[in-house]
Amino acid sequence: MTPSPRQDAHAFFAEYRRAHPEDVVVVDEPVSAVEGVTGLIYELIARGRDEMLVCEDVGGVAAPVVTNVFASRRRIARFLDVGPEQLHEAYQSRAERMIAPRIVDSSPLVEDAEVDLTSVPMLQHFASDRAPYITSGIVVAEDPDSGVGNLSYHRSMVHSPTELATSLHSRGDLWRLLAKYAERGEPMPVAVVIGGHPLFMLAASARVPAEVDERAVAGGLFGEPLDLVRTPRHGIGVPAWAEFVLEGTIDPQHHAEEGPFGEFSGYSSHRSTNNVLRVDAVLRREDALLVDVAGGNTVDHLNLARVPRESELAEKLKARFADVTAVHYPTSGTHFHCYVALRESRPGQARQVLLGLLGWDPYVKTAVAVDADVDITSDAEVLWALATHFQPHRDLFVVDGLPGSPLDPSSDAGGTTSRMGLDATRGPDFAGDRIVVSATARTDARRLLGTDGGRR
């Protein structure tokens, strides 16, 4: 059985460039592997732009680099064949229609003659990073009892030609699987997938129970089974269309320093579990791409994690609270802020919604509720709602002593944090009407100013 061509990242990126040339920036001049790609991304951000970036010639990296893939919600929605306003519903409905993966007997992956991690392309995104890092590496592990697969992102740097130093900092399902292998007195077999179709990469960010295989979530996003091949040493099912695969083991007793590394908080993080992954086999496509995820608090990095999170929370909140209209995680808050809009129909409703949100998402520290006519994708609109609707003595509450993100630099060493809810809805006794500029006036203004802004 041959793998489905719909899951081939090469074909997907080529088709996207053909269909949306205005949304792809191709750089064919030499770019440095140390901060060069990151510099381009930050310059795009400074210009208010979010195109996908293709760098054909990155010094010392023997592969073209494709990055900034997830920097645009509009583009992510296109991956799902919908408009931006349907992104959450489309992602969640397809992710929940899971399809079990299937094993195929062919793949463009070829095993290297020997393991030499210095030949695997990596970038250094920030001057403060300890070394070049794998930032898009998806660690695949399988439960030794049930065989259920787990996908999760973990930063990794070269420790030796055959070893990676990595952090399992989320202390999620992979961390618990490692503990299970430790109880058995065995190292944990893993495979690191570097690069693949964007829908597979989104599935790896899904927040699902431990008994759910994210490879089945990927099948739901594709609308067909994710095609897998078995790795040569440990038989782990990895995407047949992966760009690179590093197969090996993590020994829970073996540790090595890694970091600092530029994390989603916007700070360089020294916090790490300092695990070591011994690599037994390197597989790659002969024409492999480095599908990079820009680190730090870039929109690319944040969207990859928060679109699945937003989609899940939007579904949960709307199902429990019928008056919730929208959920948004702003870039300004990294993963620690969330805005929710609702049609408040009774006193206390906004507070109840905020409590639900803070209880469901362990990363959110500050949640703000606003009325449905406030644009929660605009920080300025939310701050305006806080300025004009919010009274601290009445509309704020704090819950402390809760588990949060260990990568939050303000949390304690174990990631314990407090959380705050702010009710910036108008409330039943609010007196005031929003000022309005009519659609006619706006249309006339656009005509008078023209495309050049009215300059003469």
Side-chain angles (χ1 to χ4, degrees):
M1 183 183 297
T2 59
S4 168
R6 291 183 55 230
Q7 300 173 27
D8 180 359
H10 286 215
F12 174 82
F13 287 127
E15 173 57 23
Y16 192 87
R17 286 175 63 174
R18 186 199 64 76
H20 303 285
E22 79 292 344
D23 198 32
V24 182
V25 172
V26 180
V27 178
D28 52 15
E29 295 182 45
V31 175
S32 173
V34 179
E35 296 187 87
V37 173
T38 320
L40 289 168
I41 291 170
Y42 273 78
E43 184 57 28
L44 286 175
I45 294 170
R47 298 182 183 192
R49 295 167 55 183
D50 55 18
E51 296 99 324
M52 188 187 303
L53 183 63
V54 179
C55 297
E56 304 278 11
D57 182 8
V58 179
V61 175
V65 174
V66 180
T67 190
N68 221 35
V69 174
F70 301 97
S72 162
R73 291 172 190 267
R74 179 189 65 255
R75 186 161 55 247
I76 298 172
R78 283 174 178 163
F79 299 164
L80 295 165
D81 303 313
V82 297
E85 62 280 359
Q86 288 93 37
L87 174 57
H88 291 158
E89 291 81 1
Y91 174 87
Q92 196 65 11
S93 65
R94 289 168 64 164
E96 290 178 336
R97 293 198 297 269
M98 291 180 284
I99 301 173
R102 65 180 179 183
I103 301 297
V104 297
D105 51 18
S106 65
S107 166
L109 288 167
V110 177
E111 184 176 353
D112 287 1
E114 61 179 355
V115 175
D116 179 9
L117 294 176
T118 62
S119 72
V120 176
M122 302 179 197
L123 302 176
Q124 182 170 336
H125 283 98
F126 302 101
S128 52
D129 287 354
R130 182 174 186 143
Y133 266 82
I134 298 170
T135 58
S136 59
I138 298 167
V139 178
V140 186
E142 295 177 347
D143 187 286
D145 299 317
S146 67
V148 170
N150 175 258
L151 307 180
S152 50
Y153 287 89
H154 300 278
R155 71 196 197 204
S156 301
M157 55 167 271
V158 173
H159 177 60
S160 77
T162 60
E163 294 173 314
L164 295 170
T166 187
S167 180
L168 310 187
H169 45 258
S170 64
R171 291 174 171 81
D173 293 338
L174 186 67
W175 181 259
R176 287 185 281 274
L177 276 179
L178 184 62
K180 179 178 281 193
Y181 276 97
E183 291 175 359
R184 299 161 68 107
E186 302 172 4
M188 177 172 65
V190 296
V192 182
V193 176
I194 308 171
H197 194 288
L199 293 181
F200 168 73
M201 297 178 70
L202 279 170
S205 288
R207 298 193 309 172
V208 293
E211 64 271 15
V212 173
D213 193 324
E214 286 95 340
R215 294 172 299 188
V217 174
L221 296 181
F222 280 117
E224 64 180 19
L226 177 66
D227 288 332
L228 305 178
V229 290
R230 296 290 186 187
T231 55
R233 303 291 184 276
H234 304 292
I236 300 169
V238 298
W241 290 109
E243 302 295 317
F244 296 86
V245 175
L246 313 179
E247 181 193 22
T249 56
I250 299 176
D251 184 336
Q253 306 304 319
H254 192 184
H255 294 89
E257 287 190 8
E258 68 88 22
F261 174 80
E263 273 293 355
F264 66 83
S265 63
Y267 280 92
S268 186
S269 175
H270 294 258
R271 294 183 178 183
S272 175
T273 61
N274 295 314
N275 290 101
V276 173
L277 195 165
R278 189 193 72 206
V279 177
D280 302 318
V282 175
L283 299 92
R284 69 181 83 200
R285 292 178 64 153
E286 291 185 359
D287 55 349
L289 302 170
L290 174 56
V291 183
D292 171 62
V293 174
N297 57 345
T298 62
V299 185
D300 182 34
H301 190 192
L302 295 173
N303 272 352
L304 180 57
R306 70 187 173 188
V307 165
R309 181 175 294 152
E310 283 177 340
S311 301
E312 176 200 14
L313 264 295
E315 180 187 58
K316 283 186 173 181
L317 288 171
K318 289 178 180 180
R320 178 61 183 84
F321 307 107
D323 290 324
V324 169
T325 60
V327 176
H328 180 70
Y329 286 67
T331 296
S332 59
T334 67
H335 292 322
F336 302 140
H337 290 178
C338 184
Y339 305 152
V340 57
L342 69 151
R343 296 178 295 268
E344 191 171 27
S345 58
R346 58 184 297 188
Q349 186 179 21
R351 182 175 291 238
Q352 188 178 28
V353 170
L354 291 169
L355 284 168
L357 171 60
L358 294 172
W360 271 321
D361 192 337
Y363 273 41
V364 172
K365 293 192 299 181
T366 302
V368 183
V370 298
D371 295 287
D373 64 337
V374 174
D375 179 6
I376 59 173
T377 67
S378 166
D379 282 332
E381 282 253 329
V382 173
L383 290 173
W384 169 80
L386 279 168
T388 56
H389 306 160
F390 173 78
Q391 283 294 318
H393 75 285
R394 181 190 67 208
D395 299 322
L396 179 150
F397 65 87
V398 175
V399 183
D400 61 9
L402 297 173
S405 169
L407 295 179
D408 176 0
S410 70
S411 68
D412 69 18
T416 301
T417 186
S418 56
R419 298 185 194 159
M420 177 172 62
L422 298 91
D423 178 0
T425 59
R426 294 181 182 90
D429 300 322
F430 185 84
D433 297 313
R434 288 196 71 168
I435 59 175
V436 175
V437 178
S438 70
T440 300
R442 297 293 296 272
T443 300
D444 287 346
R446 286 191 290 269
R447 177 182 57 80
L448 291 167
L449 290 173
T451 57
D452 63 353
R455 296 185 182 90
R456 294 290 185 268

